[in-house]
Amino acid sequence: MKFFIDTANLDQIKEAQALGVLDGVTTNPSLMAKEGISGKNNVLKHYVDICNIVTGDVSAEVIATDYDGMIKEGEELSELHDQIVVKLPMTKEGIKACKYFSDRGVKTNVTLVFSAGQALLAAKAGATYVSPFIGRLDDVSTDGLALIEEIRDIYDNYGYDTQILAASVRHTMHIVNCAKIGADVMTGPLSAILGLLKHPLTDIGLAQFLADHAKANQ
Ligand code: G3P
């Protein structure tokens, strides 16, 4: 499973990259705003800065909601760097724009996906990635992981190449469960990735090894 980090924070992206397990980055307008990045030129520069830290795909989301605006903005984003993936909302206009870009070999990520039907449409439009938001489904007492299972079944039934990018991952067990189901990618916060490192028996075992070594080498 590929690991993407879901942030626009350069320090966190650098930390995840240094761990050696990072395959890409996802951002969205809320994450950019959280870092205080505003103004078109600053936003575009920030995407390039992210691309220069990581080696994999970097999702950059369009703000336009109409087809022509999405095409204009998506083309501008994709020309920034060859790692850029044009992120489009799951709307009628977004699906049309997805088809436009996939026909031209530009990578796409269809975001704000909350149903299997939406994921099926994204695959039909040739999306590179589809982003079901599992945490936000959990927030409204709906099983986010069940949606990943449904999409996995549908894509496997027809051999769609669209990669399931489990998004709105909130914690470590989301990552583990997505891996068990067979999501192609997960994107989550640094804390969820670092959480995979932790087990109390690892800490206890290491302390014991070091204590025994120290005793034997007094
Ligand atoms: O990748 C989508 C993500 O940014 C949304 O996460 O935690 O705001 O639901 P969250």
Side-chain angles (χ1 to χ4, degrees):
M1 180 167 65
K2 289 188 208 166
F3 275 24
F4 288 179
I5 188 167
D6 193 32
T7 185
N9 181 288
L10 298 184
D11 288 337
Q12 289 185 17
I13 294 169
K14 282 177 194 159
E15 188 175 339
Q17 176 68 20
L19 195 58
V21 300
L22 192 67
D23 301 295
V25 178
T26 52
T27 62
N28 63 40
S30 302
L31 293 172
M32 293 294 271
K34 191 174 165 192
E35 298 308 314
I37 312 296
S38 62
K40 186 177 169 184
N41 289 343
N42 291 332
V43 168
L44 297 182
K45 179 184 174 303
H46 202 74
Y47 286 137
V48 174
D49 289 345
I50 293 173
C51 290
N52 288 334
I53 296 170
V54 300
T55 47
D57 286 347
V58 174
S59 286
E61 188 162 342
V62 300
I63 304 298
T65 54
D66 63 299
Y67 176 78
D68 290 339
M70 287 183 192
I71 301 304
K72 184 168 176 288
E73 222 179 301
E75 282 180 337
E76 200 166 7
L77 289 169
S78 73
E79 280 162 17
L80 278 180
H81 200 285
D82 60 10
Q83 286 166 241
I84 292 284
V85 174
V86 178
K87 198 173 182 187
L88 300 155
M90 178 63 229
T91 60
K92 191 200 275 187
E93 304 295 289
I95 286 297
K96 283 160 64 181
C98 177
K99 177 76 175 129
Y100 172 93
F101 285 117
S102 55
D103 282 351
R104 285 157 182 77
V106 174
K107 286 186 179 179
T108 53
N109 176 357
V110 175
T111 190
L112 290 166
V113 166
F114 293 94
S115 76
Q118 291 177 325
L120 179 57
L121 261 185
K124 295 272 303 168
T128 312
Y129 299 105
V130 64
S131 290
F133 277 31
I134 62 174
R136 291 193 192 182
L137 282 169
D138 290 353
D139 287 345
V140 293
S141 305
T142 305
D143 189 351
L145 290 168
L147 175 59
I148 303 294
E149 283 177 355
E150 278 187 280
I151 300 171
R152 183 72 283 154
D153 282 348
I154 291 170
Y155 284 10
D156 288 350
N157 282 345
Y158 296 98
Y160 287 125
D161 291 334
T162 300
Q163 296 177 55
I164 302 173
L165 195 173
S168 186
V169 160
R170 302 274 175 75
H171 52 74
T172 300
M173 283 313 293
H174 269 156
I175 301 178
V176 173
N177 286 319
C178 282
K180 284 163 77 175
I181 293 165
D184 300 287
V185 191
M186 80 82 204
T187 190
L190 182 61
S191 59
I193 296 172
L194 295 180
L196 292 167
L197 290 165
K198 293 181 191 158
H199 198 288
L201 291 178
T202 303
D203 299 338
I204 292 167
L206 181 59
Q208 184 70 56
F209 287 157
L210 295 178
D212 289 344
H213 174 80
K215 211 164 146 186
N217 290 276
Q218 276 172 351

